[in-house]
Amino acid sequence: MPDGRPSIPAVLRRSVLEEAGYSCAIPTCRAMTTEIAHIEPYAKVRDHTFDNLIALCPNCHTRYDVRKDIPKASIVAYKRNLAVLNGRYSDLERRLLEEGAGYPPGQWIPIHIGVRILIRNLIADGLLTEVDDFIYKITGNDLGGIKTTEFYQFTEKGREFMERWRDAEPLID
Ligand SMILES: [Zn+2]
């Protein structure tokens, strides 16, 4: 490093990248990345700590650090929201929340019954709900009477949750 600062220890690097799934922590970006940014500049804190580090892609890192067009308050909020998401939701649930933000209201999401256990907290929290059995029975999605796929959709509450994440608002009041 040009300013003589120590590099980020490998274990810490990995934890920070894992926290964001090796993707940019900005919900509307989510580009794959292995780059890490300091929330408070290193020059100020002179330390590497988990709470002050966040995975950002090279573009967003430049927008934050150099061009200053992403406010620090937003980055702090994204970091805090990652902790909420990781503490509560599975990898599949987080991917659904990322993808779902771009879905039109009422979009059906097929889920194989074998992975239903991985979405149970989204359902328990009322963010995702199964499409009414009757509606998809009459569309002929039951092949030979053996149901292997269920259809889900985000609830109004789920859509609000995704909007709060995107807008860097607290996910939990
Ligand atoms: Zn990015």
Side-chain angles (χ1 to χ4, degrees):
M1 294 278 168
D3 55 0
R5 67 164 130 158
S7 55
I8 300 169
V11 173
L12 179 57
R13 266 189 73 76
R14 204 175 66 214
S15 311
V16 173
L17 292 170
E18 282 174 359
E19 177 190 44
Y22 287 79
S23 298
C24 181
I26 297 190
T28 47
C29 176
R30 300 301 284 159
M32 283 192 283
T33 191
T34 53
E35 195 158 316
I36 288 178
H38 289 79
I39 299 172
E40 283 284 357
Y42 179 83
K44 187 169 164 192
V45 297
R46 317 276 317 158
D47 198 7
H48 302 306
T49 59
F50 181 82
D51 288 341
N52 192 45
L53 295 170
I54 190 166
L56 291 182
C57 74
N59 280 341
C60 293
H61 196 171
T62 302
R63 291 177 62 205
Y64 178 54
D65 262 2
V66 182
R67 288 174 23 208
K68 314 279 184 203
D69 60 4
I70 301 175
K72 190 173 81 183
S74 298
I75 298 291
V76 168
Y78 292 140
K79 175 75 179 179
R80 189 184 51 222
N81 285 344
L82 275 176
V84 172
L85 291 163
N86 289 325
R88 179 83 186 136
Y89 298 115
S90 70
D91 184 58
L92 177 59
E93 288 172 314
R94 281 181 278 128
R95 281 163 193 258
L96 283 169
L97 288 167
E98 285 166 31
E99 294 283 316
Y103 292 166
Q107 166 94 33
W108 289 16
I109 304 159
I111 302 282
H112 191 276
I113 57 168
V115 296
R116 185 167 41 192
I117 193 168
L118 297 176
I119 58 166
R120 66 180 177 185
N121 281 347
L122 284 184
I123 297 167
D125 292 350
L127 305 184
L128 194 69
T129 186
E130 191 175 358
V131 173
D132 187 284
D133 220 26
F134 175 75
I135 296 176
Y136 68 85
K137 278 232 171 74
I138 59 169
T139 62
N141 278 303
D142 267 320
L143 295 174
I146 302 166
K147 188 161 79 171
T148 55
T149 301
E150 294 169 335
F151 290 89
Y152 290 84
Q153 56 195 172
F154 280 104
T155 61
E156 189 59 37
K157 189 179 171 191
R159 297 184 64 79
E160 282 167 16
F161 184 92
M162 292 185 286
E163 281 165 19
R164 284 206 300 273
W165 185 23
R166 183 197 62 202
D167 297 341
E169 290 169 15
L171 293 178
I172 289 178
D173 301 322

